[in-house]
């Protein structure tokens, strides 16, 4: 999931200047955050992961986790009386990517864990959140409005918010919709993002596929 493989077609609407600024990682150096919003299938997860790849090339630590799995891991740690140690490990990571946040309701324990994570990382580390709901809607998905409001206020106060609008990429490429030649053309016409020296993305889709061993996945952190 690198930038060259993201199909930013004409039917997607987003702030290109903001995205270019995010790829520079200046927000990381300032311990700021990023929120990537949009409907299903526009590439929110892809872009967050691509930022993670660039961050790793800058020799920073990155953890990508789907929000429900992250909270499940914290719940398990609580049962083992290890939740404080788990929070410390998560706090120490340079960039924490929380994918699909607030896709479903958060119970009291999950809301409390979200609050702890955001408070501990606030202005110290960078957090990237992807969601198909706006932050105002997150409050309605939590069990404790006061805790959630405190966490969301901290997160959004230092966050660059990128909104992507458009149809689902998955629907555009379903079988019988886009043939191989058209898909290749789409990849070849994808925009090339200008990155700082030493953080260049792969120059072509072919090279991206050859370098596919470098993959950022949901890391089973210890």
């Amino acid at each position: 999931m690198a930038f060259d493989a993201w199909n930013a077609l004409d039917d997607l609407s987003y702030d290109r200047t903001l995205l270019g600024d995010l790829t520079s990682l200046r927000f990381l150096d300032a311990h700021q955050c990023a929120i990537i919003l949009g409907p299903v299938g526009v590439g929110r997860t892809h872009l967050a992961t691509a930022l993670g790849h660039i961050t790793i090339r800058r020799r920073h630590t990155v953890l990508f986790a789907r929000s429900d799995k992250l909270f499940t891991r914290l719940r398990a740690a609580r049962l083992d009386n290890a939740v404080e140690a788990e929070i410390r490990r998560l706090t120490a990571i340079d960039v924490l990517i929380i994918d699909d946040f607030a896709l479903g309701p958060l119970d009291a324990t999950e809301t409390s864990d979200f609050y702890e994570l955001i408070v501990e990382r606030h202005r110290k580390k960078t957090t990237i959140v992807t969601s198909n709901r706006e932050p105002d809607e997150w409050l309605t998905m939590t069990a404790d409005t006061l805790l959630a409001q405190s966490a969301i206020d901290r997160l959004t106060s230092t966050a660059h918010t990128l909104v992507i609008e458009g149809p689902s990429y998955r629907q555009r490429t379903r079988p019988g919709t886009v043939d191989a030649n058209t898909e290749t053309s789409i990849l070849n016409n994808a925009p090339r993002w200008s990155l700082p020296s030493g953080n260049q993305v792969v120059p072509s889709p072919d090279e991206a596929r050859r370098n596919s061993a470098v993959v950022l996945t949901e890391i089973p952190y210890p």
Side-chain angles (χ1 to χ4, degrees):
M1 290 188 179
F3 279 107
D4 274 6
W6 185 54
N7 295 329
L9 303 182
D10 291 338
D11 52 2
L12 288 183
S13 173
Y14 60 96
D15 187 334
R16 287 165 171 76
T17 301
L18 174 56
L19 181 56
D21 189 57
L22 290 176
T23 62
S24 73
L25 296 188
R26 284 191 290 267
F27 76 109
L28 172 62
D29 297 332
H31 302 303
Q32 296 172 342
C33 300
I35 299 174
I36 303 177
L37 304 175
V40 172
V42 295
R44 291 175 289 112
T45 299
H46 192 132
L47 289 179
T49 306
L51 288 174
H53 278 293
I54 300 171
T55 303
I56 288 173
R57 295 187 188 108
R58 286 269 297 270
R59 300 186 181 278
H60 293 287
T61 56
V62 176
L63 175 66
F64 173 97
R66 213 173 65 193
S67 62
D68 59 334
K69 292 187 176 183
L70 178 65
F71 293 132
T72 297
R73 182 61 182 249
L74 286 168
R75 187 184 296 275
R78 181 171 279 101
L79 296 175
D80 294 336
N81 294 319
V83 67
E84 290 185 6
E86 194 69 28
I87 291 291
R88 285 197 299 271
R89 280 193 286 269
L90 290 171
T91 301
I93 294 168
D94 294 327
V95 176
L96 175 62
I97 302 174
I98 305 176
D99 190 40
D100 278 340
F101 180 71
L103 190 61
L106 277 67
D107 62 23
T109 300
E110 293 168 339
T111 302
S112 177
D113 288 341
F114 174 64
Y115 169 81
E116 289 294 334
L117 278 177
I118 297 303
V119 169
E120 290 298 321
R121 295 178 60 82
H122 183 57
R123 296 190 182 278
K124 301 173 186 175
K125 302 291 183 177
T126 293
T127 303
I128 299 175
V129 178
T130 79
S131 180
N132 59 6
R133 302 179 190 273
E134 295 184 1
D136 288 343
E137 297 180 78
W138 295 352
L139 287 176
T140 66
M141 305 298 292
T142 60
D144 189 320
T145 302
L146 186 59
L147 280 181
Q149 189 172 34
S150 180
I152 293 169
D153 180 68
R154 285 176 168 85
L155 177 65
T156 56
S157 68
T158 62
H160 302 266
T161 302
L162 177 68
V163 179
I164 308 170
E165 298 178 333
S168 170
Y169 167 75
R170 300 182 188 96
Q171 295 302 315
R172 295 197 301 265
T173 58
R174 68 182 185 273
T177 302
V178 178
D179 60 28
N181 291 332
T182 302
E183 187 171 8
T184 299
S185 175
I186 290 172
L187 287 171
N188 288 337
N189 289 327
R192 299 296 185 264
W193 304 106
S194 177
L195 302 178
S197 178
N199 294 300
Q200 306 300 325
V201 296
V202 290
S204 71
D206 289 337
E207 290 188 28
R209 284 188 285 271
R210 287 198 296 271
N211 293 330
S212 61
V214 184
V215 177
L216 183 65
T217 59
E218 294 185 5
I219 304 170
Y221 49 93

